[in-house]
């Protein structure tokens, strides 16, 4: 795999968690575009503008730049912009040049995520944003974080679509021998741009991540059902239960423990990606000790991935010309994702019809 995956620009990407965006200016870089995010004073609507003053390119997310009401006042020379990116004040003169404006980006707040559209604004359809309702639904408790990784975003996609690495990279946390040993099933919806990878383990060791948080002793059934909505949203529907405890015929599962693992895979630039991660659960929702255990444990797992992917990116950068990688059955989902991502770029980034 080339260590640079092309960006699909006419797609929605997660720029931040809702809780990160307020009246303090927040800087992010998505697909190489520098952004500044904040909320309006009256109703808290998120605003996303280009993060460079039109005058001398000073970053609008950096002090002493500040908000005056809903207007951004550049901390270098005082150029002032409204929420549409239009410059409304220039120091020392009454006339504002017609070209004095910064780009404004379509933005949607949904499921406690701030989604931004970097491409052609005319193509930005909020209805195509995939859902992650568990992130802010009643009956669920979520821990979350974000780690920047110095790797191509395609490497993170590969990593998340092949969970067999849990056995080796995350042993002692979420990995057990059965994860790598159990075959996968893969389904690809080319039209919607969704890749599904499932691994159902009927009799598996209970990893510490679940044993210590659920109190289960002994062997478990463990289901991992991945649903990757290209290019950004990754959902892992996880179910564990003591061996022999199966869902009811109507599909309900009162004796199982359901965990939703969410990743937003947002390219920052070439060889850089934001790894937004969240763990949501519908059990022990008021248990603060469980919450803190899952937060710390999953952060450790994420940082193991960060270390591995940083190293892999450096390794790929030193490979000899003509090197051919080897792929096997466990790579089926990742290869399908690569194919869809490449098609998005080649076809001019036409938005995919996301399944709601």
């Amino acid at each position: 795999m080339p260590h640079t995956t092309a960006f699909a620009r006419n797609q929605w990407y997660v720029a931040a968690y809702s809780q990160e965006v307020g009246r303090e200016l927040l800087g992010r870089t998505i697909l190489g575009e520098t952004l500044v995010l904040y909320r309006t004073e009256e109703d808290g609507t998120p605003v996303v503008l280009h993060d460079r003053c039109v005058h001398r390119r000073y970053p609008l997310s950096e002090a002493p730049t500040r908000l005056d009401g809903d207007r951004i006042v550049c901390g270098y020379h005082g150029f002032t912009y409204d929420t549409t990116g239009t410059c409304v004040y220039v120091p020392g003169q009454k006339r504002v040049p017609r070209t004095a404006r910064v780009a404004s980006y379509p933005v949607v707040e949904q499921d406690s995520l701030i989604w931004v559209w970097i491409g052609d604004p005319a193509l930005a359809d909020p209805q195509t944003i995939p859902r992650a309702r568990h992130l802010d639904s009643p009956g669920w408790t979520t821990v979350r974080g974000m780690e920047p990784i110095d790797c191509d975003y395609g490497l993170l996609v590969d990593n998340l679509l092949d969970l067999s690495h849990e056995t080796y990279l995350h042993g002692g946390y979420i990995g057990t021998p059965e994860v790598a040993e159990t075959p996968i099933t893969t389904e690809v919806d080319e039209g919607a741009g969704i890749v599904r990878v499932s691994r159902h383990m009927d009799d598996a060791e209970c990893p510490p991540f679940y044993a210590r948080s659920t109190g289960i002793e002994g062997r478990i059934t463990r289901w991992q059902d991945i649903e990757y909505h290209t290019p950004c949203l990754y959902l892992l529907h996880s179910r564990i239960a003591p061996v022999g405890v199966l869902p009811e015929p109507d599909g309900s599962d009162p004796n199982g423990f359901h965990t939703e693992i969410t990743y937003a895979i947002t390219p920052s630039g070439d060889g850089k990606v934001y790894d937004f991660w969240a763990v949501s659960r519908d059990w022990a929702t008021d248990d603060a000790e469980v919450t803190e255990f899952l937060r710390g444990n999953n952060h450790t797992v994420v940082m193991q991935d960060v270390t591995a992917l940083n190293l892999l990116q450096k390794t790929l950068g030193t490979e000899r010309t003509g090197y051919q990688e080897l792929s096997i059955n466990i790579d089926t989902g990742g290869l399908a994702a690569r194919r869809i991502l490449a098609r998005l770029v080649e076809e001019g980034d036409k938005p995919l019809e996301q399944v709601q």
Side-chain angles (χ1 to χ4, degrees):
M1 173 184 180
H3 60 277
T4 300
T5 304
F7 301 143
R9 296 185 65 83
N10 284 325
Q11 303 292 328
W12 291 99
Y13 292 92
V14 172
Y17 291 117
S18 291
Q19 64 195 40
E20 293 184 278
V21 181
R23 294 291 292 168
E24 297 291 327
L25 299 170
L26 174 67
R28 286 277 151 84
T29 301
I30 298 180
L31 311 190
E33 297 288 333
T34 55
L35 311 177
V36 58
L37 297 83
Y38 66 98
R39 291 185 185 274
T40 58
E41 195 167 37
E42 183 174 351
D43 61 7
T45 300
V47 177
V48 182
L49 302 177
H50 187 59
D51 187 27
R52 294 291 184 270
C53 179
V54 73
H55 177 229
R56 288 293 182 264
R57 313 306 292 168
Y58 191 82
L60 297 177
S61 61
E62 296 290 340
T65 299
R66 60 181 175 85
L67 287 174
D68 178 10
D70 291 339
R71 296 175 172 180
I72 290 186
V73 181
C74 178
Y76 193 20
H77 292 103
F79 277 61
T80 303
Y81 305 88
D82 66 16
T83 58
T84 71
T86 301
C87 184
V88 295
Y89 171 76
V90 171
Q93 64 185 61
K94 292 184 177 180
R95 187 184 70 83
V96 177
R98 287 196 305 269
T99 58
R101 62 176 299 112
V102 296
S104 173
Y105 300 87
V107 56
V108 172
E109 185 169 14
Q110 178 176 281
D111 301 328
S112 77
L113 301 172
I114 305 294
W115 293 85
V116 175
W117 183 276
I118 300 298
D120 182 352
L123 299 177
D125 180 1
Q127 297 302 312
T128 63
I129 299 176
R131 301 304 303 264
R133 292 179 174 87
H134 51 273
L135 290 177
D136 62 359
S137 289
W140 291 85
T141 296
T142 298
V143 295
R144 66 188 79 203
M146 189 276 281
E147 296 296 335
I149 310 179
D150 291 328
C151 81
D152 179 78
Y153 80 98
L155 297 182
L156 181 55
V157 173
D158 279 351
N159 172 279
L160 294 174
L161 283 171
D162 174 17
L163 295 182
S164 67
H165 80 274
E166 289 183 351
T167 299
Y168 306 99
L169 190 61
H170 306 310
Y173 293 92
I174 59 176
T176 67
E178 294 82 9
V179 180
E181 293 169 0
T182 304
I184 60 170
T185 61
T186 305
E187 298 178 7
V188 182
D189 187 334
E190 295 280 354
I194 301 174
V195 179
R196 295 181 173 89
V197 180
S198 295
R199 177 181 276 109
H200 291 176
M201 293 158 271
D202 295 329
D203 185 347
E205 177 185 337
C206 188
F209 183 83
Y210 287 119
R212 290 183 55 187
S213 57
T214 66
I216 288 180
E217 297 179 358
R219 310 283 289 181
I220 60 171
T221 59
R222 184 180 184 186
W223 296 356
Q224 296 176 323
D225 295 299
I226 297 168
E227 184 181 326
Y228 172 49
H229 297 252
T230 55
C232 187
L233 188 67
Y234 170 100
L235 307 173
L236 169 58
H237 312 297
S238 173
R239 174 201 181 269
I240 69 163
V243 166
V245 177
L246 300 175
E248 300 294 331
D250 64 0
S252 62
D253 195 6
N255 298 309
F257 294 83
H258 304 93
T259 309
E260 294 287 342
I261 314 295
T262 307
Y263 284 88
I265 305 165
T266 300
S268 174
D270 289 336
K272 295 182 180 297
V273 61
Y274 294 125
D275 181 0
F276 293 90
W277 59 268
V279 178
S280 308
R281 69 184 192 277
D282 66 353
W283 43 274
T285 54
D286 296 324
D287 192 321
E289 186 175 344
V290 170
T291 295
E292 290 311 306
F293 170 76
L294 292 179
R295 186 195 313 278
N297 204 272
N298 201 71
H299 179 257
T300 298
V301 168
V302 169
M303 292 310 297
Q304 289 173 333
D305 280 336
V306 170
T307 299
L309 292 173
N310 283 343
L311 176 60
L312 184 56
Q313 180 73 23
K314 292 180 180 178
T315 301
L316 290 173
T318 62
E319 283 293 353
R320 65 184 185 277
T321 302
Y323 170 78
Q324 295 294 317
E325 67 177 2
L326 172 67
S327 295
I328 56 176
N329 290 342
I330 57 175
D331 301 308
T332 306
L335 294 175
R338 293 186 193 181
R339 185 172 65 249
I340 293 172
L341 291 171
R343 178 168 59 81
L344 285 179
V345 176
E346 292 170 3
E347 293 182 355
D349 296 345
K350 296 177 182 177
L352 292 165
E353 297 178 0
Q354 299 286 1
V355 178
Q356 299 298 304

